[in-house]
Amino acid sequence: MKRRTAALFAALCALGFADSWKAPQARIFASANGQYAIKVVPPPGKFEGKARAVLFSLEAGGKEARLWSADLVNIPATVWVSDTGRAVGLDTYGRVGYSHAVVVYGDIGEAKADYKLEELLTPHEIRDVPTSVSSRWWSESRTLSHEPDGEWTRTQVGATQVNRPGQDILRIGLKSGPDILIDLESGKASRAP
């Protein structure tokens, strides 16, 4: 009996660690410069479906100006907002590291690009990602960066943006492997040299 229990325990450990998620709640994510923010409202009590989002900016005197309102492709685990007012959904709440690992939203809230983790990382990189029952925690080893006005800056979620004439790039730094570069205008993903 002890051998069966030990074998069962070993098998469960090999599958990944257990995790639990509270029901998703409405949240606000802001840009590092505080000029843009997105309010994300998931369907009540549901882990699946589409969240509703409103991206807004602050005008003089603190008045909110709505830039767009749209249904997102999922309920994002987090949303990164650039200092130029671009929104990027990162992962799906309750199921990190699978579909919708990175979703780039356009000027009216449309999904310009929607990447599964397999489209961003190599099979070897994915094998090295810590895994739980629900998720592949690639974000545990991820840093984000965006460079406005030619200087690298880090946001509250470790994000940095590069903004050069004709370019607006989100750089996703990984512990292993080359960084992922996301063109925020086109949504195109590439790997840094």
Side-chain angles (χ1 to χ4, degrees):
M1 182 63 150
K2 285 183 182 180
R3 286 186 187 168
R4 280 189 193 163
T5 303
L8 178 61
F9 179 75
L12 290 174
C13 288
L15 292 175
F17 60 90
D19 54 6
S20 62
W21 295 79
K22 294 180 181 179
Q25 298 179 358
R27 296 176 289 159
I28 293 178
F29 302 92
S31 63
N33 66 10
Q35 294 300 301
Y36 299 93
I38 190 167
K39 178 173 71 170
V40 178
V41 181
K46 294 184 178 181
F47 280 87
E48 295 181 6
K50 298 179 178 188
R52 185 80 181 156
V54 177
L55 181 70
F56 60 93
S57 65
L58 288 179
E59 295 178 341
K63 184 179 177 191
E64 295 175 12
R66 185 166 78 176
L67 301 175
W68 56 258
S69 177
D71 287 334
L72 304 181
V73 299
N74 66 341
I75 301 170
T78 190
V79 179
W80 178 78
V81 181
S82 77
D83 288 343
T84 56
R86 303 280 185 175
V88 179
L90 298 166
D91 295 308
T92 296
Y93 188 85
R95 190 150 171 78
V96 171
Y98 290 95
S99 297
H100 317 300
V102 174
V103 181
V104 180
Y105 290 96
D107 294 335
I108 58 171
E110 79 283 11
K112 290 184 126 184
D114 185 355
Y115 295 100
K116 296 183 282 188
L117 192 59
E118 289 79 6
E119 296 171 307
L120 299 170
L121 301 183
T122 66
H124 176 68
E125 289 169 331
I126 290 173
R127 272 193 307 272
D128 290 342
V129 170
T131 303
S132 68
V133 171
S134 71
S135 300
R136 295 186 295 195
W137 295 97
W138 77 293
S139 59
E140 295 297 310
S141 61
R142 174 184 73 201
T143 60
L144 303 172
S145 50
H146 186 244
E147 183 184 311
D149 304 321
E151 289 184 33
W152 287 101
T153 58
R154 213 169 266 281
T155 70
Q156 70 276 15
V157 294
T160 313
Q161 171 181 344
V162 59
N163 185 0
R164 297 187 183 115
Q167 287 187 311
D168 199 3
I169 307 291
L170 172 65
R171 179 180 216 115
I172 302 173
L174 304 170
K175 282 187 179 176
S176 62
D179 292 353
I180 299 166
L181 304 175
I182 306 287
D183 183 314
L184 298 178
E185 181 64 34
S186 69
K188 184 180 177 201
S190 61
R191 296 302 287 262

